[in-house]
């Protein structure tokens, strides 16, 4: 599973900004039904108890759909919930330290914005890279944009899979074709949509056409 690029084609990153009375679990299931191939739980403001409960619930859901499930940043929650792995940013724990904490069988993703960061992450044991922001995004206020040239250079510099993130939606997916990425990570393009299942279905079809 760790080396299967197809699992990274449509990478769904959760956000509770658009729940509007719905549950995160139900929204994630809609994304899975629509074709999401990977799920990352991203929580910035939830207390530890509810974060852990949510992680366990989503882990079981993703297992039913045979889709990898990782936690953003929080290695301890990933360990306690028994998730498939964790995704860390440049300001979080280094991939090597995460690997020692999680073990060899878990998935580790690392955010990168430069070729140097990408190569170091691979050397430290990352299984895949998330590179961005490739377009302007509201999901992360401090995100620096990564040019198409840098994205291509990162893909050429490493042997592990690379996905793009940041401001990606149905109208600009095809602009990333030919860069070397194997998939896209999306937030609002899925979870801010009135029909999450339909949005996932369309994004997966666009990604498949552009990257496979």
């Amino acid at each position: 599973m760790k080396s299967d690029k197809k699992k990274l084609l449509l990478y769904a990153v959760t956000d509770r900004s658009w729940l509007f009375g719905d549950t995160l679990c139900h929204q994630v299931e809609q994304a899975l039904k629509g074709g999401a191939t990977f799920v990352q739980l991203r929580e910035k403001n939830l207390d530890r108890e509810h974060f852990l409960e949510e992680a366990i619930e989503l882990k079981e859901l993703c297992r039913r759909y045979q889709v990898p499930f990782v936690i953003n940043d929080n290695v301890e929650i990933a360990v306690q919930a028994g998730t498939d792995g964790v995704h860390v940013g440049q300001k979080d724990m280094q991939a090597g330290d995460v690997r020692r904490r999680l073990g060899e069988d878990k998935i580790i993703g690392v955010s990168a914005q430069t070729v140097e960061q990408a190569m170091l992450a691979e050397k430290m044991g990352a299984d895949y890279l998330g590179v961005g922001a490739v377009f302007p995004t509201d999901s992360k206020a401090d995100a620096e944009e990564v040019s198409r040239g840098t994205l291509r250079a990162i893909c050429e510099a490493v042997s592990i899979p690379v996905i793009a993130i940041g401001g990606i939606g149905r109208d600009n997916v095809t602009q990333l074709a030919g860069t070397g990425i194997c998939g896209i990570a999306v937030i609002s393009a899925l979870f801010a949509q009135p029909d999450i299942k339909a949005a996932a279905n369309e994004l997966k079809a666009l990604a498949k056409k552009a990257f496979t």
Side-chain angles (χ1 to χ4, degrees), residues 26-172:
H26 178 258
Q27 290 196 339
V28 170
E29 184 158 24
Q30 292 308 300
L32 291 167
K33 284 180 176 177
T37 59
F38 202 110
V39 174
Q40 179 194 127
L41 174 60
R42 184 172 181 259
E43 286 291 0
K44 296 298 183 184
N45 304 308
L46 211 57
D47 64 80
R48 183 178 182 79
E49 182 185 352
H50 289 99
F51 193 171
L52 181 58
E53 283 177 12
E54 191 175 70
I56 293 169
E57 184 180 26
L58 289 179
K59 177 194 76 172
E60 297 302 330
L61 173 66
C62 290
R63 194 157 286 173
R64 291 204 301 273
Y65 283 84
Q66 297 183 302
V67 165
F69 173 63
V70 300
I71 301 289
N72 182 60
D73 292 350
N74 199 315
V75 177
E76 293 310 312
I77 290 287
V79 170
Q80 282 189 275
T83 66
D84 294 310
V86 71
H87 185 95
V88 292
Q90 286 295 315
K91 295 175 183 174
D92 305 312
M93 197 186 295
Q94 268 206 338
D97 297 325
V98 178
R99 177 65 70 206
R100 282 187 285 276
R101 185 74 183 88
L102 291 184
E104 290 301 318
D105 61 328
K106 298 295 186 181
I107 302 169
I108 297 175
V110 177
S111 298
Q113 285 78 39
T114 66
V115 170
E116 291 75 23
Q117 289 174 356
M119 291 175 71
L120 179 60
E122 181 178 32
K123 184 181 176 184
M124 291 293 174
D127 294 300
Y128 72 89
L129 299 173
V131 176
V134 292
F135 298 111
T137 175
D138 293 327
S139 297
K140 197 172 182 185
D142 61 346
E144 291 182 27
E145 272 196 67
V146 174
S147 71
R148 217 74 78 248
T150 298
L151 180 60
R152 192 177 293 110
I154 287 172
C155 291
E156 290 171 354
V158 298
S159 58
I160 54 176
V162 176
I163 57 171
I165 189 169
I168 301 169
R170 60 191 294 275
D171 297 326
N172 58 20

